[in-house]
Amino acid sequence: MGAIVADGSFYGEVCRSRRVTDLVLAETQYPAGAVVPMHAHESPLLCFVVRGAFQEESRGHRRTLGRGSVLFHPRDEPHAHRFDVPRTRCFSVVLGPCWLGEVSPVEGTRLSGPSDHSRGRLPWLGRQLHEEFGRGEQASLLVLEGLLLTVLGELTRRNQRPDSGRAAWVNRARELVEAQLRQPFRLTRLAAQLGVHPAHLSRTFRHAFGESLSAYVLRRRVELAAAALADPDVPLAQVALETGFADQSHLCRSFRRVTGLTPGAWRHRR
């Protein structure tokens, strides 16, 4: 199985870290060519890929994980990493046994793994958690724990939601939406592509994914815009056009509706 990594210890260069109650939060960086041998962690671990990409080997499978990916590893789950992209940076949260036990006495069985998620709400939550951690001593413990609880809740909900019985085309619907996020969205056109009635598409999508198609499209476009706002040299009008909004005004209204902040305020906070 390899070495057991104690809570608070990490491979790679630790750029910054913080211990909050029974949690350990750390940002680590890895040079191109770095190899992390097969190992496991003393406690469950969440990892958010902040920059770059790496390959992970786990349970006989290899996968490439890029920026925005969210990983969960149960305790004692062996895995290895290889970093081919320069300055890959990861943000990890070690879930100590006392903290995780307080969340739910059965959380350990619900959060099986390993698992990775590069779409949907989890990468969005991961970015917010990382940004709050980046505030250093000014970071709010309440905000950190609140965001982390939301991440765990989303992971638990995904693990409990079976795909069996779901219409095969509804997964295809989400794939088509993702591929067309930056284009004008029309429910009738998507329904025609899938060969189903628009009303049936709308009901089935909400039942399968817990939100309406329009809410999903809006949230995902805002997530794309939030990532684009990290570059202070890109004008808001350009961000709007590149992320599926009609214009800058449409972006501002939608962004504030989802995040509670204007794009300018969001960019300033970053």
Side-chain angles (χ1 to χ4, degrees), residues 6-11 13-30 41 43-48 50 89-96 99 125-149 151-152:
D7 294 352
S9 298
F10 299 92
Y11 289 96
E13 175 191 357
V14 177
C15 304
R16 50 186 174 177
S17 64
R18 183 180 179 188
R19 186 178 290 270
V20 180
T21 62
D22 201 25
L23 301 170
V24 180
L25 303 93
E27 188 169 338
T28 51
Q29 184 167 286
Y30 303 83
H41 296 275
S43 296
L45 179 139
L46 278 166
C47 176
F48 305 91
V50 177
R89 188 166 290 210
C90 298
F91 170 52
S92 301
V93 182
V94 179
L95 309 172
W99 191 90
L125 291 168
R127 285 194 295 271
Q128 292 194 62
L129 185 61
H130 176 246
E131 287 177 2
E132 187 63 30
F133 166 75
R135 296 178 182 276
E137 295 301 321
Q138 295 181 340
S140 166
L141 173 59
L142 181 62
V143 173
L144 286 171
E145 289 195 327
L147 286 169
L148 187 54
L149 285 170
V151 170
L152 294 178

Side-chain angles (χ1 to χ4, degrees), residues 102-264:
E102 290 175 358
V103 173
S104 168
V106 295
E107 205 68 65
T109 59
R110 291 179 177 178
L111 293 174
S112 59
S115 60
D116 68 272
H117 310 269
S118 58
R119 292 179 176 178
R121 195 180 181 203
L122 278 168
W124 168 257
L125 291 168
R127 285 194 295 271
Q128 292 194 62
L129 185 61
H130 176 246
E131 287 177 2
E132 187 63 30
F133 166 75
R135 296 178 182 276
E137 295 301 321
Q138 295 181 340
S140 166
L141 173 59
L142 181 62
V143 173
L144 286 171
E145 289 195 327
L147 286 169
L148 187 54
L149 285 170
T150 305
V151 170
L152 294 178
E154 183 71 12
L155 282 168
T156 301
R157 185 171 66 85
R158 291 190 179 195
N159 286 350
Q160 286 182 310
R161 183 174 62 211
D163 285 337
S164 59
R166 176 189 293 175
W169 59 262
V170 77
N171 291 322
R172 176 60 178 160
R174 185 165 63 175
E175 292 174 359
L176 288 172
V177 169
E178 288 289 337
Q180 301 171 23
L181 274 174
R182 293 175 171 84
Q183 305 170 18
F185 175 76
R186 293 188 60 189
L187 177 64
T188 53
R189 184 176 63 186
L190 179 62
Q193 288 180 280
L194 296 164
V196 298
H197 192 278
H200 183 50
L201 166 60
S202 181
R203 288 194 302 269
T204 306
F205 192 95
R206 181 188 289 274
H207 178 74
F209 302 115
E211 61 183 332
S212 68
L213 251 172
S214 59
Y216 181 89
V217 171
L218 177 64
R219 175 174 59 79
R220 288 290 294 118
R221 284 176 172 171
V222 168
E223 291 174 5
L224 292 176
L229 288 169
D231 186 345
D233 297 326
V234 179
L236 291 183
Q238 182 178 337
V239 172
L241 293 178
E242 291 180 352
T243 54
F245 294 97
D247 51 33
Q248 181 175 331
S249 178
H250 185 206
L251 166 65
C252 292
R253 292 195 307 272
S254 301
F255 200 94
R256 187 164 190 170
R257 177 181 170 187
V258 173
T259 68
L261 296 171
T262 65

Side-chain angles (χ1 to χ4, degrees), residues 40-86:
H41 296 275
E42 182 181 3
S43 296
L45 179 139
L46 278 166
C47 176
F48 305 91
V49 185
V50 177
R51 184 174 65 200
F54 63 90
Q55 287 188 348
E56 177 178 87
E57 181 179 350
S58 177
R59 298 188 179 185
H61 299 285
R62 289 185 179 180
R63 51 190 172 182
T64 299
L65 301 153
R67 178 182 177 185
S69 292
V70 180
L71 299 90
F72 173 78
H73 280 289
R75 65 185 301 272
D76 298 334
E77 179 69 41
H79 54 283
H81 299 144
R82 178 181 177 83
F83 298 84
D84 296 320
V85 178

